[in-house]
């Protein structure tokens, strides 16, 4: 985020508000409609596994991985990452997104999700679409008619198809009547099963057309229903004749067959009974699937995430939120390498795994409209360990147990004077008696729980049925001494009462005294006590039934969370889900209270505390994580604005429009962890919002209460964000000031800038990689310069400052490029692009006027006969067609590189590629595009190209391509990089040694991002004296490629990841030499070496020094097994055939492998070296002769005389300063000049340069 993005976003927000005010809209009503649909607020919090179970139930209309229309798409998941960043539909041939829509086309219902799906399919959005036909009445019939194997006497399971067949044959309007007879007007209605059969006709012809068909059918019948076109019928379903007529019309339009033919086929299909097998799709399987998953018509799921059930704009906003969150979720899985180009086999199956994935759409997952009933705290007299029942596997947690165990108290409140209440009670006790101690977690390790339960009456009727006091007694300490630990007597009483209720159909005929008198499982003493209680306590009500309004007649609570069952039974899944929703709070309270509560009291303590907290939270306010206004209001109400130390509010009284007096509802709210890097970045922006933009600002601090042992330190740097609206270029330049930095520490200065900015150091006296601040001698520039003077005592200088200046050298133009010839956009990877600017301009007329950010205007003339100078060039990457060029403010021409193969194959076209659609805006037969750089914000340019006639199948690179001969055949191109004054010193010595020993002209390409301005100036001066050339190159790490935070790893990344785009396109080969090397051989030999078809050559690691063989990590473990006999190479020196490197797309391959491996922070320990070695099986390495790199740490002394380069690599046995090592190793008769002599020569060139500046 940068200041210009912030200003642009704020201006857009203000514009929207002003328009709303001018239209007379009340902004209050527009801002209070958040989360009206509770389903919307929870849609992204869980998933339903709608991808598995009942094969052939869902009718899928397309398959991204198998359908021929997606043949040209690749399986590269990096294209998905790039598309996600730029907001475009991806073109990856994987079923990444799946939408399931549950429909009933016969009820006249509108489906917003069908409208949206139609648009997505038209835009070729890569989404797999599934349709599930379900009729509500059929679901009810199937739920009650299908029995399990245990319930069927003869062992033959009745399927849903069997139930629906029996249901169909028993209905009057279908019995013994032909389809033609039923088509008489207003005599017979269409059934959902028949609509399903007609839909299968469409799928037989064209499955993709199914979405158009359903959309038209539902839209038409919904319009008829809304328009009252039911012809006075009480039932809103269309008749069979109406449906077949509309079906025929739609099929004719969609499939292009005649209306009469479509109608005849429909009648024939409905007249024939469908043949159902395990391998065929059937309506019964669809209904059975709906029953199993507890879903119905009108619902839809995106990768298992429930879509909003609202309509209109509310639906679109909710759907957009679900899409965005799912895009982010998939991106995270790709980054973690849980999803790659080849695995898992089914991405849909992968996303339907995890903690928040449920087998069915349980009522608990659907938020209650009345949030106050989500929790309840009920105080009663039936308390204590003796009043609880326990599952057979439950043990009470003790202080020494695992900290992850969670304690639950499950209380069931049933109306035991009703049949449903008795059935629930009996089912509840049976389920709880066998409840597991570990919750099911989809095959993964589940949560450990310790559960206790009890049953309590929810009704206090004073009729003859006196069950309440008996329940109290059977759960009392007095009775439990008798040894009934399983609740057998209570179950027996409830079972007998249920039998009596079912037989009498009312509670009046139930004789509780008779039931107790005839119970065989109790002794006489207990029987007498129960009869006495039932008689003596008649009319004695339980207090909680008088004091507390209960949420329902039959409900359960687990630590206070309410569950109201819809059916007459309680299953293990019900309790498991109820407990899982309270898991975090239960575990925290268990750990907190366990040391202070006796074992017997822990269930009551945790259950009561959790219920109380839950009730208080749910009743205080409708809080959601996304509704920040509610959170702020809650904080104010709770503690008061002035009393809450973590809430800060500014400019609330300054948010009115002076003319209208109405509030501008543009507010900024920030919820921040003060000890985090994002807060460091955003704090200066918030100051600008408060002090200069004068917007209403609320800041809530949410500090982390503790840092665990395995957590990293929250903040490891001192940060300043330069955002000063009053800054002026000369009188008040923008600056960041650091004060009171710690002494006796080595600090490194690094810039954090927006992606389009190329920022380089302009001025620095000190080494910004090694800033030292000593308490005695000081730390400023003057002190540092004094310390460099020999024989001068350094004293602290008051107010001595360290000053570093940076320049914005250029702005980046970046974007994507797609070849749209075949209709499916694909990146023309390897296409060469150049950026040029006119230098000699003949102005004829003014065709364009640009409005600049300051409000002034600038005319852009049309030029004729202009000559253009090359400025920068690049290649289009395979990954989402990314390209990057450098420019400055002005008018530029982007073109396909002249005389390149790409210029023969492609030409540019005017158009846009957005939301999966290609929109042509004009016709262009040239190879140029005009770009205007007029501000500091670049959101990416879209470049579209098409193939020229005759080049439809041509390849940009092929093995038969003729290599372009450079005009600089005799120039040896050497690449290197360095950071810090010490390595800049080594770099100059390397440059000097190369120039002295190489028989051809040498041109050095130095990566300038980390070089000091003093080095860049003095290196150019030295190059002129020693007879070589120096040019600086730069590249900006793309945001879509996983970044590195450590500076050394960033440098390693630049060393290997961007070789194909770092150098001008006419550089055909490059030799990389580490800065701390000294070259003894002629690099012309290496330049002319045949790499035998490999894109690059590296020197294998030495293994001739026996003392360090034990540290040769590549000889054992992972590397030994991965390399499979191939050598491990050192990256201190390598030669790259850039033409082959680009032609074989090696850069794209390396970046893809890097993106996968870097998801694990422990991989690629030596990034620049490990990456090419790991990729050897995909990108071949030519092994250079061993003498091309000698390193004392790994190579024996006997091999040193033959060495052609000496590298100062670190020794694993001991640490030695680099300079000391260089003086020792690079000396003696083997060297024409020792390192000391080379260093002295470089120092003399430095003095000559400084002397020239003084003159």
């Amino acid at each position: 985020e940068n200041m210009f993005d912030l200003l642009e976003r704020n201006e857009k927000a203000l514009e929207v508000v002003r328009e709303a005010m001018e239209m007379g809209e009340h902004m209050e009503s527009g801002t209070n409609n958040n989360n009206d649909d509770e389903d919307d607020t929870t849609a992204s919090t869980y998933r339903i596994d709608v991808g598995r179970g009942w094969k052939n139930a869902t009718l899928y209309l397309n398959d991204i991985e198998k359908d021929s229309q997606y043949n040209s798409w690749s399986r590269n998941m990096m294209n998905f990452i790039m598309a996600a960043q730029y907001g475009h539909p991806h073109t990856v041939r994987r079923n990444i997104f799946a939408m399931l829509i549950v429909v009933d086309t016969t009820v006249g219902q509108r489906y917003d999700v069908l409208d949206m799906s139609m648009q997505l399919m038209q835009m070729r959005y890569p989404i797999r679409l599934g349709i599930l036909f379900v009729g509500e009445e059929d679901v009810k019939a199937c739920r009650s008619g299908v029995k399990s194997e245990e319930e069927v006497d003869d062992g033959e399971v009745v399927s849903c198809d069997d139930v629906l067949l029996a249901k169909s044959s028993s209905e009057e309007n279908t019995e013994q009547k032909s389809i033609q007879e039923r088509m008489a007007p207003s005599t017979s209605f269409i059934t959902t099963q028949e609509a399903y059969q007609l839909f299968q006709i469409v799928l037989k012809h064209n499955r993709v057309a199914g979405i158009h068909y359903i959309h038209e059918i539902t839209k038409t019948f919904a319009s008829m229903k809304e328009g009252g076109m039911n012809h006075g019928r009480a039932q809103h379903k269309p008749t069979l004749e109406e449906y077949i007529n509309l079906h025929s019309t739609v099929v004719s339009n969609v499939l292009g067959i005649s209306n009469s033919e479509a109608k005849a086929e429909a009648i024939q299909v409905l007249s024939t009974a469908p043949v159902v097998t395990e391998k065929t799709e059937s309506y019964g399987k669809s209904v059975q699937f709906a029953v199993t998953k507890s879903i119905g018509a009108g619902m839809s799921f995106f990768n298992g995430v429930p879509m909003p059930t609202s309509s209109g704009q509310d639906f679109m906003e909710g759907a957009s939120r679900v899409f965005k969150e799912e895009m982010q979720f998939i991106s995270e899985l790709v980054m973690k390498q849980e999803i790659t180009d080849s695995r898992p086999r089914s991405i849909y199956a992968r996303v339907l795994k995890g903690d928040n994935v449920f087998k069915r759409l349980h009522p608990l997952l659907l938020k209650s409209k009345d949030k106050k009933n989500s929790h309840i705290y009920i105080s009663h007299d039936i308390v204590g360990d003796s009043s609880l029942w326990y599952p057979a596997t439950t043990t009470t947690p003790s202080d020494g147990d695992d900290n992850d165990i969670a304690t639950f108290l499950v209380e069931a409140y049933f109306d035991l004077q009703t049949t449903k209440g008795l059935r629930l009670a009996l089912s509840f006790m049976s389920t709880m008696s066998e409840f597991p101690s570990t919750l099911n977690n989809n095959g993964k390790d589940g949560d450990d729980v310790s559960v206790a339960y009890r049953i309590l009456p929810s009704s206090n009727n004073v009729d003859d049925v006196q069950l309440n006091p008996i329940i109290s007694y059977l759960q009392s300490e007095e009775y439990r001494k008798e040894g009934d630990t399983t609740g057998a007597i209570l179950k027996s009483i409830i079972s007998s009462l249920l039998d009596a209720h079912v037989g009498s159909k009312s509670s009046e005929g139930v004789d509780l005294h008779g039931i107790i008198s005839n119970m065989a499982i109790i002794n006489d003493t207990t029987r007498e006590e129960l009869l006495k209680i039932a008689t003596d306590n008649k009319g004695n009500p339980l207090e909680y039934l008088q004091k507390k309004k209960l949420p329902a007649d039959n409900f359960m609570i687990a630590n206070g969370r309410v569950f109201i069952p819809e059916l007459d039974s309680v299953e293990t899944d019900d309790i498991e889900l109820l407990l899982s929703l309270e898991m975090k709070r239960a575990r925290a309270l268990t750990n907190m209270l366990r040391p202070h509560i006796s074992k017997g009291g822990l269930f009551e303590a945790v259950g009561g505390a959790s219920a109380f907290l839950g009730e208080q939270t749910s009743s205080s306010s409708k809080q959601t994580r996304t509704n920040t206004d509610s959170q702020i209001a809650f904080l104010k109400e709770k503690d008061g604005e002035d009393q809450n130390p973590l809430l800060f509010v500014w400019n609330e009284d300054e948010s009115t429009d002076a003319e209208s007096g109405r509030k501008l509802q543009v507010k900024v709210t920030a919820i921040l962890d003060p000890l985090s890097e994002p807060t460091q970045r955003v704090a200066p922006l918030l100051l600008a919002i408060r002090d200069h933009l004068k917007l209403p600002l609320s800041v809530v601090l949410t500090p982390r209460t503790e840092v665990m042992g395995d957590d990293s330190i929250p903040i490891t740097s001192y940060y300043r964000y330069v955002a000063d609206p009053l800054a002026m270029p000369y009188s008040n330049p923008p600056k960041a000031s650091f004060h009171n930095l710690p002494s006796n520490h080595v600090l490194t200065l690094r810039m954090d800038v927006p992606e389009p900015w190329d920022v380089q150091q302009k001025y620095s006296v000190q080494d910004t990689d090694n800033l030292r601040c000593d308490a005695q001698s000081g730390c400023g520039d003057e002190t540092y310069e004094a310390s460099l003077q020999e024989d001068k005592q350094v004293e602290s200088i008051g107010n001595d400052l360290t000053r570093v200046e940076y320049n914005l050298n250029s702005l980046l133009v970046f974007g994507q490029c797609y070849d749209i010839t075949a209709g499916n956009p694909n990146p023309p990877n390897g296409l060469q692009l150049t950026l040029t600017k006119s230098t000699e301009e003949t102005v004829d007329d003014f065709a364009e006027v640009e409005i600049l950010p300051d409000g002034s205007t600038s005319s852009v003339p049309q030029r004729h006969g202009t000559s253009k100078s090359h400025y920068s060039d690049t290649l289009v990457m395979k990954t989402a067609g990314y390209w990057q060029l450098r420019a400055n403010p002005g008018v530029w021409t982007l073109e396909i590189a002249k005389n390149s193969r790409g210029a023969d194959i492609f030409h540019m076209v005017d158009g846009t590629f957005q939301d999966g659609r290609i929109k042509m805006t004009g016709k262009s037969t040239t190879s140029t595009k005009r770009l205007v750089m007029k501000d500091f914000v670049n959101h990416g340019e879209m470049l579209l190209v098409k193939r020229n006639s005759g080049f439809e199948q041509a390849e940009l690179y092929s093995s038969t391509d003729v290599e372009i001969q450079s005009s600089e055949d005799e120039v040896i191109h050497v690449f290197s990089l360095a950071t810090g004054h010490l390595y800049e010193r080594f770099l100059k010595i390397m440059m000097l040694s190369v120039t002295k020993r190489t028989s051809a002209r040498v041109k050095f390409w130095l990566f300038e991002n980390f070089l000091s301005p003093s080095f860049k100036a003095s290196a150019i001066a030295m190059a002129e004296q020693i007879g070589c050339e120096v040019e600086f190159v730069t590249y900006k790490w793309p945001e879509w490629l996983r970044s590195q935070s450590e500076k050394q790893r960033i440098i390693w990344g630049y060393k290997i990841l961007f070789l194909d785009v770092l150098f001008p396109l006419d550089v055909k080969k490059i030799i990389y030499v580490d800065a701390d090397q000294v070259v003894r051989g002629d690099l012309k030999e290496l330049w002319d070496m045949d790499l035998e078809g490999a894109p690059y050559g590296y020197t294998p690691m030495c293994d001739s020094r026996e003392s360090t063989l034990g540290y040769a990590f590549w000889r054992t473990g992972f590397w030994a097994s991965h390399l499979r006999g191939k050598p491990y190479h050192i990256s201190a020196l390598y030669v790259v055939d850039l033409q082959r490197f680009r032609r074989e797309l090696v850069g794209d391959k390396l970046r893809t492998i890097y993106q996968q491996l870097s998801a694990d922070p422990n991989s690629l320990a030596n990034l620049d070296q490990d990456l090419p070695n790991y990729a050897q099986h995909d990108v071949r390495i030519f092994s250079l002769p061993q003498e091309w790199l000698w390193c004392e740490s790994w190579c024996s002394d006997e091999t040193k005389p033959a060495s052609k380069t000496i590298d100062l690599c670190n020794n694993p046995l001991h640490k030695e300063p680099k300079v000391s090592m260089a003086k020792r190793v690079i000396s003696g008769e083997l060297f024409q000049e020792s390192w000391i002599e080379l260093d002295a020569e470089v120092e003399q060139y430095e003095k000559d340069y400084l002397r020239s500046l003084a003159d």
Side-chain angles (χ1 to χ4, degrees), residues 18-137:
R18 291 191 191 101
E19 289 178 358
M21 292 183 66
E22 291 172 1
M23 294 171 62
E25 295 181 359
H26 297 286
M27 297 306 297
E28 288 78 4
S29 64
T31 57
N32 292 330
N33 60 359
N34 293 324
N35 306 322
D36 287 340
D37 191 329
E38 298 297 339
D39 290 348
D40 292 6
T41 65
T42 60
S44 62
T45 60
Y46 61 89
R47 298 174 193 270
I48 308 301
D49 187 356
V50 292
R52 286 177 286 238
W54 293 97
K55 190 176 181 180
N56 295 320
T58 301
L59 304 175
Y60 285 103
L61 308 186
N62 63 330
D63 191 326
I64 310 296
E65 298 179 2
K66 296 180 180 179
D67 293 350
S68 59
Q69 61 185 8
Y70 307 106
N71 281 344
S72 62
W73 291 12
S74 75
R75 293 174 62 90
N76 187 352
M77 289 303 297
M78 284 311 302
N79 288 341
F80 175 86
I81 298 297
M82 279 294 295
Q85 180 184 357
Y86 284 97
H88 298 153
H90 72 83
T91 53
V92 180
R93 196 170 192 194
R94 301 291 304 276
N95 289 316
I96 298 175
F97 299 126
M99 176 80 79
L100 174 67
I101 306 175
V102 190
V103 301
D104 184 353
T105 58
T106 70
V107 295
Q109 178 181 354
R110 287 192 181 274
Y111 295 86
D112 288 73
V113 68
L114 283 176
D115 295 337
M116 181 188 70
S117 300
M118 272 287 296
Q119 297 174 23
L120 293 176
M121 296 293 280
Q122 289 170 353
M123 295 188 306
R124 291 175 52 82
Y125 193 93
I127 180 173
R128 193 178 190 201
L129 197 59
I131 302 295
L132 188 72
F133 264 77
V134 170
E136 183 180 353
E137 294 301 321

Side-chain angles (χ1 to χ4, degrees), residues 997-1105:
R997 304 289 168 253
T998 303
S999 58
R1001 286 193 304 127
V1002 178
K1003 182 171 185 176
F1004 290 97
W1005 299 88
L1006 306 181
F1007 192 70
E1008 71 170 328
N1009 291 31
F1010 307 104
L1011 295 173
S1012 67
S1014 59
F1015 170 86
K1016 286 187 279 190
S1018 59
I1020 294 174
M1022 186 186 83
E1024 292 177 353
Q1025 294 194 56
I1026 65 176
C1028 65
E1029 296 179 67
V1030 171
E1031 191 161 334
F1032 300 100
V1033 291
T1034 185
Y1035 199 78
K1036 193 68 179 291
W1037 196 297
E1039 285 191 345
W1040 52 265
L1041 189 67
R1042 185 176 289 107
S1043 62
Q1044 296 289 332
S1045 56
E1046 297 179 15
K1047 190 171 185 178
Q1048 184 58 60
R1049 294 183 64 80
I1050 295 173
I1051 293 172
W1052 285 343
Y1054 278 118
K1055 180 177 169 181
I1056 184 64
L1057 289 174
F1058 309 108
L1059 294 174
D1060 52 339
V1061 291
L1062 195 55
F1063 309 101
L1065 300 177
D1066 58 359
V1067 176
K1068 65 181 181 181
K1069 186 179 288 187
I1070 200 81
I1071 297 175
Y1072 174 84
V1073 184
D1074 254 357
D1076 61 350
Q1077 283 191 67
V1078 168
V1079 177
R1080 299 178 63 235
D1082 186 350
L1083 288 189
K1084 184 69 164 59
E1085 298 178 26
L1086 188 59
W1087 184 266
D1088 294 335
M1089 188 172 294
D1090 182 8
L1091 300 183
E1092 299 179 2
Y1096 44 38
Y1098 285 74
T1099 306
M1101 292 286 287
C1102 278
D1103 56 3
S1104 56
R1105 186 171 292 278

